[in-house]
Structure formats: C-alpha cells, structure tokens
Amino acid sequence: LAKTTQPISMDSYEGQEVNITCSHNNIATNDYITWYQQFPSQGPRFIIQGYKTKVTNEVASLFIPADRKSSTLSLPRVSLSDTAVYYCLVGDMGTGGFKTIFGAGTRLFVKA
Amino acid sequence: EPEVTQTPSHQVTQMGQEVILRCVPISNHLYFYWYRQILGQKVEFLVSFYNNEISEKSEIFDDQFSVERPDGSNFTLKIRSTKLEDSAMYFCASGHRTSGDTDTQYFGPGTRLTVL
C-alpha cells in the first residue's frame, strides 16, 4: 500500500477556497486516490475519489497530476462546518476487500 | 439515502468480558469492514470481509477478535475477552466496487466501547 503524506493541520477563513495536498510517491498503477472527511465522534465520510486528471462533485474537486505522485483536494468556499479531519487514502481492491490504511490526516480549522 | 447503522451506540463492559458489536450494512453492498479509533488517534483498519470470509486483517485483529455475518443483514464484531486497551470507537463500514478497481466505503456512526 502506498504511503501518504499530508500536512498535519491547516487554517482557513469562511468563504475561502482550501487546497489540501497529499503526497503518494509510491502509488501503484492500479491504485485509486480517495479522500474522506471526519467530524469528531463520527465515522469518516467519503468525499471524492479519482484515478487521474480532475474529478469534481457537488462538494469538492480532486486534482491529480500526470505522474500521480500527489493529489490535491480542493474545497470551494469553506464554511465553519467544514472544520474536520481530511484523510487521503491510496490503494486498490486487492482480491476481495480494501485494506484501508488511514494516515493521521489533515486537521482543517475554518475560522469566522 | 441508505446508511450503515450500528448498535449499541455505547457499550460499557468489565475487563475480561465478551462483547458483540453489531452493524447493519447498506443492503446491496458486498464488502464489509471494521475499524477502530482510540480517542484522539487515527482510524485503524481491523478487518475486511467479502463472500462470507475474511479477506484482509490487520495485526490488531488477533485471536480475541472475530467477525460474522449471521444472516443477510447483520455484520458483527466479537471481542472474546476485552482488555482495557480495547476501549475505543468501533466503526463498521460497507462498500461496493466502483467502476475502477477500488471501492467507496460508507461508515456507520460507531459504537463507543469502554472497558473498565
């Protein structure tokens, strides 16, 4: 499983765009990149997933350069409720399940 | 929107006792997982389950732990003889294979286990 590296914490203000970058230098050909969000005392929540280039959904965008050794989660116009821990995960299904390894994640603090 | 449910929300037990944590995954999912999170620490993978058998497990998932899917809807985690260090939030997740060779996992709200 590819190891991921993210900033430990980030601060932002309401209304700003936030970009969280994850490094995964040893990403394998079959690996996908997935981001989860976790609020205190809740389970992680899927945000977005991609393999290459750019993926966008209703909550975020994911930018993946051609070499796939990093990825950037972009949250447009954050609000106070986006304060959470954001995890970047890299891997594939294997033979019958996804051995999901969470790193320490990035703690995002959104201020008023 | 379908969701993963877990019961109980909080379980208090004495050291050495057996506990069973229950989960109802999303109905059309085929992959099931248990994770734990000790207070203030990261989410740790315990086990994945597919086609009625364990597909992956971590070093945390030793002989004290077992999982079962006793019927078509429930997925349980049993800890045979709890230790103080088993105190944590336990999350169940279920997933389905996406268009590529990976999955999207949906997590339940968790069961907080306190071992006294």
Side-chain angles (χ1 to χ4, degrees):
Chain A
L1 294 168
K3 184 174 160 34
T4 60
T5 304
Q6 305 173 232
I8 294 173
S9 66
M10 295 180 70
D11 289 345
S12 182
Y13 288 93
E14 280 189 294
Q16 289 189 331
E17 178 184 80
V18 170
N19 296 308
I20 306 174
T21 296
C22 178
S23 296
H24 27 82
N25 290 319
N26 297 321
I27 190 168
T29 303
N30 293 334
D31 286 346
Y32 275 69
I33 300 152
T34 310
W35 286 79
Y36 287 87
Q37 173 192 56
Q38 187 182 29
F39 298 114
S41 299
Q42 294 186 28
R45 184 175 75 99
F46 171 85
I47 302 175
I48 197 165
Q49 185 178 81
Y51 183 80
K52 62 180 179 181
T53 62
K54 177 184 173 183
V55 180
T56 297
N57 63 21
E58 62 277 6
V59 297
S61 294
L62 178 59
F63 299 92
I64 305 167
D67 66 5
R68 302 198 331 118
K69 292 183 185 298
S70 66
S71 59
T72 299
L73 174 73
S74 181
L75 304 172
R77 292 191 298 280
V78 294
S79 62
L80 296 176
S81 61
D82 291 317
T83 294
V85 179
Y86 292 82
Y87 298 97
C88 161
L89 284 76
V90 174
D92 68 19
M93 284 297 289
T95 56
F98 195 21
K99 186 173 183 179
T100 317
I101 305 298
F102 283 79
T106 297
R107 293 183 179 275
L108 173 65
F109 297 97
V110 180
K111 305 172 192 173
Chain B
E1 184 179 316
E3 56 184 26
V4 176
T5 59
Q6 290 185 243
T7 54
S9 56
H10 192 187
Q11 173 95 44
V12 181
T13 190
Q14 296 289 326
M15 191 169 57
Q17 294 296 305
E18 175 184 285
V19 294
I20 298 176
L21 310 183
R22 292 184 166 79
C23 168
V24 179
I26 294 173
S27 61
N28 62 342
H29 285 179
L30 300 177
Y31 304 92
F32 312 109
Y33 308 83
W34 282 101
Y35 297 83
R36 79 173 186 191
Q37 187 172 33
I38 296 169
L39 188 64
Q41 298 186 24
K42 64 181 184 181
V43 177
E44 298 177 292
F45 170 84
L46 293 178
V47 66
S48 62
F49 191 86
Y50 169 70
N51 202 25
N52 284 319
E53 60 183 23
I54 291 172
S55 47
E56 297 272 3
K57 61 181 181 178
S58 72
E59 58 278 3
I60 301 169
F61 194 88
D62 61 21
D63 293 342
Q64 292 298 313
F65 292 88
S66 62
V67 290
E68 198 176 34
R69 189 155 159 82
D71 53 41
S73 60
N74 291 288
F75 181 50
T76 62
L77 174 70
K78 183 193 290 187
I79 309 174
R80 274 183 252 287
S81 178
T82 49
K83 307 184 195 64
L84 294 176
E85 54 265 37
D86 292 327
S87 294
M89 187 76 107
Y90 287 80
F91 295 109
C92 171
S94 69
H96 59 92
R97 189 178 284 268
T98 56
S99 56
D101 195 24
T102 188
D103 73 341
T104 299
Q105 294 183 32
Y106 296 83
F107 284 75
T111 292
R112 181 168 298 285
L113 176 65
T114 302
V115 182
L116 302 176

